[in-house]
Amino acid sequence: MTLPFELVAQGKVREVYAVDDDRLLLVASDRISAYDVVLPTPVPDKGRVLTALSVWWFEQLAPVLAEHGAEHHLLATGDALLAEGVPAELAGRSMLVRRLEMLPVECVARGYLSGSGTVEYQRSGAIVDVELPAGLVEGSRLPEPVFTPSTKAEVGEHDEAIGFAQVVDAVGAERAEALRALTLALYRRGAEIAEEAGIVLADTKFEFGTSPSTAGPATLVLGDEVLTPDSSRFWPAITWSPGAPQASFDKQYVRDWLTTSGWDRVAPAPELPEAVVAATRERYVTAYEKLTGRSWS
């Protein structure tokens, strides 16, 4: 579909358009990626769920951002975008946002051991430079949430976990400390809200940028998507049981199917069966409904 804006970037899931010098339009597609590869089969409604859930989380997390002198990038969404020339059929999967200078770090927070964190822990007893206590297993709750950042990979490349010293090298010591503190504060609040909805927020990743400030140094701004099934691990609290992979409301279901399919994680990825697509959509919608308390339509 043609939009009256210049396409300036295309990610694994989103297209980014320049509305003007200060604003961008983020359009979330129904594409799904796994192991940093975009799969050939879309998941219906996925882009709308990601957008609606991110918008909801920006509202919930605004007080935490304010406490840390930070902001979020969302300006408008939904019907408010029609006046900007966004077609009605795209308005529900689009966000008008501030243009930022994005920082070159994925800010990952973990409250539970899972995924690549489990692999690294079993190898070294730590996740990069974050030492963890002995005796943890897949799905264990950590004594305290931890900050385990990674590089920000291009499409087709793989994110790589990095130590805090590398974050300091990338953004400076003061900003690195601010990123760690804000990431963990956002995770803790998100985990509290998720727990009230019967969901374990095992881990998540945030992206931040900076925006000029008339009062002093550039302000940290939370960007991209927030606490969605694409960027987080959501587990049903009622079935959480350390020692094995957990049931989930996120794309881990797709990762698990790809693993059993024998795919070697090198593009191109295989097509997803209809049953896997339907079950994935159901998980995304369930996450939205449980977290927000709203019915999906």
Side-chain angles (χ1 to χ4, degrees):
M1 179 174 296
T2 302
L3 285 168
F5 313 119
E6 177 190 0
L7 177 66
V8 294
Q10 183 174 44
K12 300 178 186 108
V13 173
R14 288 170 178 77
E15 279 83 40
V16 182
Y17 296 87
V19 176
D20 53 39
D21 290 343
D22 300 316
R23 302 179 301 167
L24 299 172
L25 185 74
L26 271 58
V27 182
S29 73
D30 290 338
R31 296 189 298 271
I32 188 167
S33 68
Y35 305 114
D36 297 305
V37 176
V38 177
L39 308 185
T41 316
V43 175
D45 284 334
K46 177 174 174 286
R48 293 175 60 228
V49 171
L50 296 183
T51 299
L53 194 52
S54 288
V55 169
W56 185 82
W57 276 116
F58 282 127
E59 295 171 355
Q60 309 308 308
L61 297 177
V64 179
L65 292 167
E67 288 172 7
H68 288 256
E71 302 169 351
H72 63 67
H73 71 160
L74 179 64
L75 298 172
T77 190
D79 291 344
L81 300 181
L82 301 180
E84 300 287 345
V86 178
E89 53 266 45
L90 292 185
R93 61 175 66 241
S94 302
M95 296 188 296
L96 185 68
V97 303
R98 296 159 59 183
R99 188 189 290 261
L100 305 174
E101 288 290 332
M102 298 304 294
L103 299 176
V105 177
E106 296 273 8
C107 291
V108 180
R110 300 176 187 270
Y112 294 76
L113 194 62
S114 188
S116 61
T118 303
V119 174
E120 180 70 10
Y121 170 77
Q122 291 172 341
R123 185 186 67 81
S124 66
I127 302 177
V128 188
D129 58 351
V130 180
E131 296 290 333
L132 296 174
L136 301 179
V137 295
E138 174 74 18
S140 287
R141 184 170 185 167
L142 304 181
E144 292 289 338
V146 297
F147 179 62
T148 59
S150 70
T151 59
K152 190 177 294 186
E154 299 294 330
V155 175
E157 300 296 324
H158 298 286
D159 295 339
E160 293 184 7
I162 56 176
F164 188 71
Q166 290 168 277
V167 180
V168 172
D169 289 343
V171 302
E174 183 176 354
R175 178 146 290 154
E177 292 286 358
L179 286 174
R180 177 164 59 185
L182 182 52
T183 295
L184 293 175
L186 290 169
Y187 170 81
R188 288 189 177 98
R189 181 57 183 141
E192 289 174 356
I193 293 172
E195 184 177 9
E196 292 169 1
I199 291 177
V200 171
L201 174 59
D203 56 45
T204 194
K205 67 178 179 179
F206 300 107
E207 292 195 33
F208 296 95
T210 59
S211 182
S213 170
T214 57
T219 301
L220 277 178
V221 183
L222 177 61
D224 198 55
E225 63 180 327
V226 183
L227 292 169
T228 70
D230 267 15
S231 64
S232 315
R233 282 188 174 88
F234 293 126
W235 300 336
I238 195 170
T239 61
W240 170 61
S241 179
Q246 308 295 309
S248 68
F249 296 125
D250 53 61
K251 65 179 180 180
Q252 187 60 43
Y253 178 77
V254 173
R255 295 189 191 100
D256 292 343
W257 181 85
L258 288 167
T259 298
T260 59
S261 76
W263 180 49
D264 60 4
R265 303 188 186 184
V266 176
E271 293 278 355
L272 299 177
E274 289 184 11
V276 173
V277 172
T280 302
R281 179 190 179 278
E282 180 182 7
R283 282 163 169 78
Y284 276 64
V285 169
T286 298
Y288 172 85
E289 292 184 333
K290 282 184 170 292
L291 288 165
T292 67
R294 303 170 182 172
S295 295
W296 179 255
S297 60

